[in-house]
Amino acid sequence: MIVEDDAELRWLTATLLEESEFDAIECESAEAALAIMLMRGQDVNMIFADIRLPGVMDGIDLAREVKMRWPHLIIVLTSGNPGERLAHMPPGVQFMPKPWQPLNILMAAERARTSPGGR
């Protein structure tokens, strides 16, 4: 699942994953991502989310909520300017600074697919 408010970057990330035979679910907010997780959480191997998102929840809040319900799910947060929010990242969540390299995303997705918590 890709959670990114920048539509172009969200599309680019989804295309990168889909061209490498991964399925991608796109969300523009943490609230939308959490709603999808509550309905289809068993279908998600990894969440790749921006820290800074519009709405009440940001990527850190999303990671915290998801880790409480699905503790083994791989979550990678990204930001070009995480600021003080990085200090609030939940345990077990990875951080990938922007600009990230496509190979790093693909490697994280592959780890998620092959991890014991992956589907």
Side-chain angles (χ1 to χ4, degrees):
M1 176 183 295
I2 302 154
V3 189
E4 170 64 61
D5 59 319
D6 179 324
E8 189 174 322
L9 187 54
R10 189 174 60 244
W11 174 84
L12 177 69
T13 308
T15 300
L16 171 70
L17 291 169
E18 289 166 350
E19 286 181 353
S20 298
E21 300 185 7
F22 293 98
D23 293 328
I25 300 169
E26 298 178 49
C27 298
E28 65 181 34
S29 72
E31 291 84 359
L34 188 56
I36 288 174
M37 285 300 298
L38 292 171
M39 292 185 298
R40 299 180 48 195
Q42 73 278 4
D43 298 330
V44 177
N45 290 337
M46 179 180 91
I47 293 177
F48 183 66
D50 194 359
I51 288 179
R52 298 188 180 275
L53 294 166
V56 175
M57 295 175 68
D58 66 8
I60 300 279
D61 298 325
L62 173 64
R64 188 176 302 110
E65 289 294 320
V66 168
K67 279 294 188 185
M68 284 192 306
R69 292 174 171 86
W70 298 274
H72 301 293
L73 187 72
I74 292 177
I75 301 175
V76 180
L77 296 179
T78 186
S79 179
N81 182 20
E84 73 287 346
R85 292 299 286 151
L86 203 53
H88 300 282
M89 220 164 61
V93 174
Q94 303 166 40
F95 177 72
M96 187 179 300
K98 288 181 182 177
W100 41 260
Q101 298 298 313
L103 182 59
N104 293 339
I105 302 292
L106 295 175
M107 288 171 39
E110 187 58 38
R111 279 194 305 272
R113 180 163 48 193
T114 60
S115 75
R119 285 143 299 287

